[in-house]
Amino acid sequence: MRRWVLATAMAAVVAVGLSGCVFPPTPFDGKRTAEDRIPTDLIPDVQGGDMSTSRYQGRADGWDIYLLRGTHPFGICLAYTDGTPERSGAACSGGTWVRTEVPDGDEFEVNLNGFIDTPKPGQNVLSPWVRQVRQGSGG
C-alpha cells in the first residue's frame, strides 16, 4: 500500500511538471530592497500602483525604471524618472504588459510573462520583463 501511495504521488509531481503548471518568475519574487522603493517625488505620478510592491528594474539613458503591481483594475504599472518631477511619470495596464513613451521620445515596454523574442537593434534590455525601445528603432 505504501509503495502505491508513493508511486501515485511521484506520478502527480511528474504530471504537474509536464503540464506546464510551473509559474515563471516575476519581478515581484524575492525580498524587496531599499533600491526598489519609488522616490518620494515620483509617488504622486503613480496612480493605480501599489507602492509597497515597487521593484527597481534598472537605468537607461538617464531614466530609472520601476515596476509595481497595480491596484484594481490595473495589473501592472511602469514608473519612470530622470530625478526631476517634470520628467517623471507612470503608465498602468489592466493586463500583464504595458508600453509608455518618456519625454525624450523613447519608449519602455513591460511584459510580465517575459519576452520570448530577440531584442531588435536599438532595443535595450533592462530586465527579463522590461526593455527600452529607442526612438527611431522601429520597435
Side-chain angles (χ1 to χ4, degrees):
M1 177 74 165
R2 212 167 162 181
R3 284 186 183 177
W4 181 82
V5 171
L6 181 60
T8 302
M10 289 301 290
V13 168
V14 170
V16 167
L18 293 176
S19 71
C21 289
V22 177
F23 294 101
T26 75
F28 307 108
D29 295 343
K31 187 174 180 175
R32 193 166 171 244
T33 67
E35 181 183 48
D36 292 324
R37 288 186 178 81
I38 293 271
T40 307
D41 293 347
L42 183 54
I43 291 173
D45 294 318
V46 187
Q47 302 297 316
D50 179 353
M51 297 302 154
S52 70
T53 65
S54 62
R55 296 296 196 274
Y56 183 70
Q57 297 299 295
R59 186 171 183 88
D61 295 336
W63 299 103
D64 288 314
I65 305 298
Y66 299 84
L67 291 182
L68 301 88
R69 289 186 194 273
T71 56
H72 184 74
F74 302 112
I76 184 72
C77 296
L78 177 143
Y80 59 88
T81 185
D82 71 350
T84 65
E86 302 81 30
R87 293 172 48 93
S88 298
C92 297
S93 164
T96 59
W97 66 272
V98 66
R99 186 170 178 156
T100 191
E101 185 175 336
V102 295
D104 68 1
D106 288 347
E107 295 181 340
F108 288 91
E109 59 185 354
V110 176
N111 183 341
L112 284 187
N113 296 318
F115 295 98
I116 57 171
D117 60 332
T118 303
K120 296 179 178 115
Q123 292 184 340
N124 179 25
V125 176
L126 271 69
S127 75
W129 307 280
V130 179
R131 65 170 62 153
Q132 176 188 26
V133 180
R134 290 193 176 96
Q135 191 173 25
S137 69

